[in-house]
Amino acid sequence: MSDNDITTKLVHAGERRPLPDAQPVSTPIYATATFTYDSMQEIDQVFGGEKQGFIYTRYGNPTLAALEEAIREVEEGATACAYATGMAAIHAALIACDLKTGSTVLASQDLYGATTGLLNTVLSNFGVKTVHVDFSDLTLVREKAREIHPQVLIAETISNPLLKVCNIEACVEIARENGARLIIDNTFATPYLSQPLKLGADMVVHSATKYLGGHADAMGGLVISRDEMDSNALVSVMKLVGGVLGVWEAHEILRGLKTLAVRMDRQCENTRALANYLNEHQAIARVHHPGLGALVSIELRDDTKDATFRFMNALKLIVRSTSLGDVFTSVLHPATSSHRDLLPARRRELGIVDGLIRISVGIEKVDDIIADIEQALDG
Ligand code: PLP
């Protein structure tokens, strides 16, 4: 090296030093696109799968592997795979279930808007048909499953924005009766409150952008499967579609996981106190809070977009933003955001009225959250 020109030294100096003997206590960010070995024979073995190792970050990376192992362990799955966003993860899970032209999906009608969009546009264009039903009506779900023979059932543990809790065990039974696989989006509940794989679900997906990261500074998605056999298909989507999670984001999410339990305890406690307050308020017609999780949705008595925007604009502490699950409290207006693209009649059918507001409760002192809502409602 020392004989080389400065131009060459600038490129190589300081790099590829031996790893330190001391173990870092937190997983380092492996900000590298590719990996080298001492010989071509070793590279050949790693490529061929005869030797464990990393080759190229789209195929795997130690920082991503640490996050995948962490979420696999807490969701008690057999295998896990990380993707760039929650949507990339949902797409990967559906594809890993081997959907093909002619396959049918039985989906909850209350899925996150983009998940419905993915099924009804992208997958529909490839000949995958989706039927949406109300998953809180299990008789209907059972009947539809018998009628359409779905390959996949998909629902959310706690639905958005009306916060209906899915009876996962009953869905597992219906899926098994029909030889279908059950995918559960566990974003709203998190593994701290619900572990769908232990109840028999086949795959769990997460928008790690929400509670797992918890700080609104990283986007990510995760799929965890109860069956090791899904590993190839999940890795294959990562390699071939390429929606790989960035290593910086993986680091943020892995760090977020460490405080998930304390954040959720505080957020759920704040949510219960806030829901009790909201239940008593004259300006509120209805409070949706299942007693589980850190979200509460309210319907204003004045069910108009104007009144709703007036209330939301008057908030001083609470943040007006899309997304949820962060350390700060935020509000969202589903009718003009997540459910904007639906026809007004379909929105009403789903219960997404103009006066509906979803509140994601943070870790602030609950008295301050309530005071902010009170001054905005009084205004
Ligand atoms: N699943 C649920 C329940 C969500 O709320 C969201 C986003 O809001 C997603 C999936 C998509 O996640 P991402 O925005 O990380 O792609």
Side-chain angles (χ1 to χ4, degrees):
M1 269 289 285
S2 54
D3 294 340
N4 288 325
D5 185 83
I6 184 164
T7 316
T8 305
K9 282 184 182 166
L10 283 168
V11 176
H12 292 276
E15 292 292 3
R16 298 180 287 281
R17 288 160 54 79
L19 290 174
D21 283 342
Q23 271 267 52
V25 293
S26 303
T27 305
I29 300 173
Y30 283 83
T32 182
T34 187
F35 298 83
T36 186
Y37 291 84
D38 284 345
S39 70
M40 276 313 296
Q41 283 77 2
E42 266 181 283
I43 293 182
D44 188 30
Q45 284 170 349
V46 178
F47 253 121
E50 297 144 45
K51 183 183 156 101
Q52 281 257 308
F54 297 96
I55 279 283
Y56 186 54
T57 285
R58 180 158 50 77
Y59 301 178
N61 173 291
T63 313
L64 300 184
L67 173 63
E68 288 164 342
E69 175 53 20
I71 193 69
R72 187 203 63 72
E73 202 174 322
V74 294
E75 284 283 11
E76 301 199 23
T79 186
C81 207
Y83 301 89
T85 63
M87 287 318 302
I90 294 168
H91 170 258
L94 288 163
I95 298 299
C97 286
D98 207 21
L99 292 175
K100 299 187 184 72
T101 303
S103 304
T104 314
V105 175
L106 184 57
S108 162
Q109 68 177 17
D110 295 299
L111 287 177
Y112 172 59
T115 310
T116 302
L118 172 69
L119 289 162
N120 291 354
T121 58
V122 180
L123 291 180
S124 161
N125 289 343
F126 288 97
V128 175
K129 184 168 177 249
T130 299
V131 175
H132 299 269
V133 295
D134 182 355
F135 265 52
S136 61
D137 182 346
L138 290 168
T139 312
L140 183 64
V141 179
R142 188 166 273 115
E143 274 171 19
K144 262 294 162 216
R146 284 187 187 144
E147 183 190 322
I148 67 167
H149 307 296
Q151 192 164 324
V152 171
L153 270 71
I154 179 165
E156 293 168 6
T157 319
I158 304 174
S159 76
N160 179 26
L162 296 177
L163 313 177
K164 298 180 192 169
V165 177
C166 179
N167 183 338
I168 294 173
E169 280 156 311
C171 291
V172 167
E173 210 180 281
I174 297 170
R176 297 240 167 102
E177 271 169 26
N178 292 277
R181 305 198 78 200
L182 176 65
I183 302 176
I184 294 289
D185 184 332
N186 202 28
T187 300
F188 279 26
T190 81
Y192 185 59
L193 300 180
S194 165
Q195 291 163 304
L197 297 181
K198 277 170 72 179
L199 300 175
D202 295 290
M203 285 193 201
V204 159
V205 293
H206 278 284
S207 167
T209 315
K210 311 296 187 312
Y211 291 102
L212 304 186
H215 295 75
D217 54 7
M219 299 205 70
L222 297 160
V223 182
I224 310 97
S225 171
R226 62 189 285 106
D227 189 347
E228 174 64 38
M229 297 277 279
D230 286 324
S231 176
N232 276 350
L234 291 170
V235 171
S236 197
V237 179
M238 188 175 85
K239 281 183 174 177
L240 303 179
V241 181
V244 182
L245 181 64
V247 289
W248 305 90
E249 284 78 7
H251 176 264
E252 304 291 344
I253 296 164
L254 187 57
R255 184 163 64 179
L257 270 186
K258 298 178 196 311
T259 56
L260 179 66
V262 282
R263 282 186 284 114
M264 282 312 271
D265 280 344
R266 175 64 169 259
Q267 286 173 265
C268 292
E269 190 187 314
N270 280 357
T271 309
R272 280 191 293 275
L274 178 62
N276 287 340
Y277 162 80
L278 294 166
N279 265 320
E280 300 300 319
H281 203 288
Q282 290 304 311
I284 293 167
R286 201 162 165 205
V287 176
H288 301 263
H289 176 56
L292 178 76
L295 288 141
V296 58
S297 293
I298 53 173
E299 291 175 31
L300 296 187
R301 214 169 278 287
D302 186 349
D303 179 27
T304 59
K305 185 173 152 186
D306 274 356
T308 310
F309 277 19
R310 230 180 1 259
F311 162 70
M312 293 175 79
N313 285 338
L315 293 166
K316 292 178 179 156
L317 172 75
I318 298 173
V319 181
R320 289 169 289 278
S321 70
T322 299
S323 203
L324 61 120
D326 299 308
V327 284
F328 54 84
T329 302
S330 65
V331 282
L332 168 129
H333 184 230
T336 53
S337 56
S338 55
H339 293 71
R340 190 184 185 97
D341 293 340
L342 297 182
L343 294 170
R346 178 64 180 150
R347 263 206 302 273
R348 269 192 301 279
E349 229 172 75
L350 293 176
I352 316 292
V353 294
D354 283 345
L356 181 75
I357 300 151
R358 190 192 72 195
I359 308 172
S360 166
V361 183
I363 62 169
E364 303 96 332
K365 182 89 180 160
V366 73
D367 299 354
D368 292 331
I369 301 170
I370 292 175
D372 193 30
I373 289 183
E374 190 157 70
Q375 65 78 27
L377 284 173
D378 291 349

